[in-house]
Amino acid sequence: QDMLILMAAGNRGQSASEVGTIITPGNAKGVLSVGAQLSSDTAFENQGYECDSFVNSGQKCPDNLASFSSNGPTLDGRIKPEVVAPGSPIVSARS
């Protein structure tokens, strides 16, 4: 029976320009890894964040992997993560 296994890419990124930080289990060949994407510039402004503190200077926030998110390539050259989801800042309702 077919199965899709999802794994977090991890939080080993040190900067927006560092590559090859993804490790087990996110780098496994049989899994789809999910990285963290930066939310819109508007979300940053509304929450008092400065976009430049999360990405390299001059880049737009919503088009970038979060600097803390692990990324590829893996040691054997595969591209990881395969997909990204909103990762920062996350705004939700209070209960």
Side-chain angles (χ1 to χ4, degrees):
Q1 186 171 8
D2 292 335
M3 183 183 317
L4 176 61
I5 300 172
L6 302 171
M7 289 297 212
N11 295 330
R12 294 200 51 180
Q14 300 295 317
S15 72
S17 61
E18 185 176 15
V19 296
T21 58
I22 195 163
I23 60 167
T24 304
N27 65 352
K29 290 183 181 180
V31 304
L32 187 133
S33 355
V34 182
Q37 177 191 18
L38 295 174
S39 297
S40 70
D41 288 330
T42 305
F44 272 82
E45 292 166 7
N46 290 342
Q47 296 300 311
Y49 291 99
E50 289 291 327
C51 181
D52 289 341
S53 66
F54 290 89
V55 298
N56 291 332
S57 181
Q59 293 180 328
K60 298 298 272 178
C61 284
D63 297 328
N64 286 282
L65 193 65
S67 59
F68 61 82
S69 185
S70 296
N71 58 54
T74 61
L75 292 176
D76 61 357
R78 290 174 290 119
I79 296 172
K80 292 280 187 170
E82 289 87 355
V83 297
V84 294
S88 180
I90 300 296
V91 180
S92 64
R94 292 184 186 202
S95 53

